[in-house]
Amino acid sequence: MQSTTLADLRQLKKEKRKFATITAYDASFARLFAEQGINVMLIGDSLGMTVQGFDSTLPVTMEDIVYHTRCVRTGAPDSFLIADMPFMSYATPEQACENAAKLMRAGANMVKIEGGSWLCDTVKMLTERAVPVCIHLGLMPQSVNILGGYKVQGRDESSANQLITDSIALKDAGMQILLLECIPSELARQITEELTTIPVIGIGAGNSTDAQILVMHDALGITARPPKFAKDFLKETGNIRDAVRLYIEQVESGAYPDQEHSFK
Ligand code: KIV
């Protein structure tokens, strides 16, 4: 099987073909997701909540993400893996380079960092040193204490404009994928159209983005209090493989997320 590359994802955007991605933390699920046809996985710091049982992503360490990236790479040798850089692991561009190298050595193809234009120097430095960067904007879980909770972002004109400005500045700095979490669908559509060559992955950002991601525990109905945008695909299908295939089908056709699982 051929490995999935960033060029493949850019080509999908060019051809306006949507793709499904999901979080993965271990080899068994990574293998299952890849076998069903998910070629892009995120080793998310959501593992602090889903795997470790904390109430935020803040306690997650570099060692945790390195360990889970190795596990996922073992199960999905050909998938495109994005590894999250945990809280405070990229406070300066130099620190980001040192820590990103650990994730790339563990098997990641790309790192993900949360934040706006203040990250431009970091993105430039990482990209110039051969580390592709995915930026996470909108609801940034590592900033929960600044944001005052897990709330929809970009609802007023000035914060919406800020998200557009940040996206463009980060694209100019070298960002290769943008992930938008919990923002109004119309704003996500505008940003996705503005970034003509950068694949945009959405979660709680409507169905106009180029791709969708779900935390695997949300997609399989394991989360006790799932967010509004999450859909339990296991409930509809009764077994995990069919649930994953249904998720892929509904993302590719644009059926998921519908209005009920999006924000106006
Ligand atoms: O850590 C994570 O799983 C994420 C998703 C919410 C996209 O960043």
Side-chain angles (χ1 to χ4, degrees), residues 218 222-228 230:
D218 290 349
I222 300 167
T223 310
R225 282 186 304 281
K228 170 185 157 78

Side-chain angles (χ1 to χ4, degrees), residues 23 25 42 44-47 57 84 112 114 136 141 179 181 203 213 215:
T23 66
Y25 316 103
L42 169 71
D45 60 358
S46 52
L47 68 85
T57 60
D84 250 340
K112 173 161 84 61
E114 298 182 8
H136 185 148
L179 187 149
E181 177 164 359
I203 174 164
I213 187 161
V215 169

Side-chain angles (χ1 to χ4, degrees), residues 103-147:
L103 296 178
M104 300 300 278
R105 288 194 186 107
N109 299 106
M110 167 177 259
V111 299
K112 173 161 84 61
I113 51 184
E114 298 182 8
S117 305
W118 70 273
L119 282 171
C120 283
D121 288 345
T122 303
V123 171
K124 191 164 184 294
M125 194 158 175
L126 285 168
T127 311
E128 284 172 352
R129 283 154 187 77
V131 178
V133 182
C134 170
I135 288 285
H136 185 148
L137 279 178
L139 171 54
M140 297 171 290
Q142 291 173 16
S143 300
V144 62
N145 291 302
I146 296 276
L147 300 176

Side-chain angles (χ1 to χ4, degrees), residues 30 43 132 140 146 180 183 194 207 210 213 218 236 245 256:
I43 299 89
M140 297 171 290
I146 296 276
L180 296 172
I183 65 167
E194 176 69 39
N207 70 1
D210 305 304
I213 187 161
D218 290 349
E236 284 187 36
R245 274 202 299 274
Y256 174 81

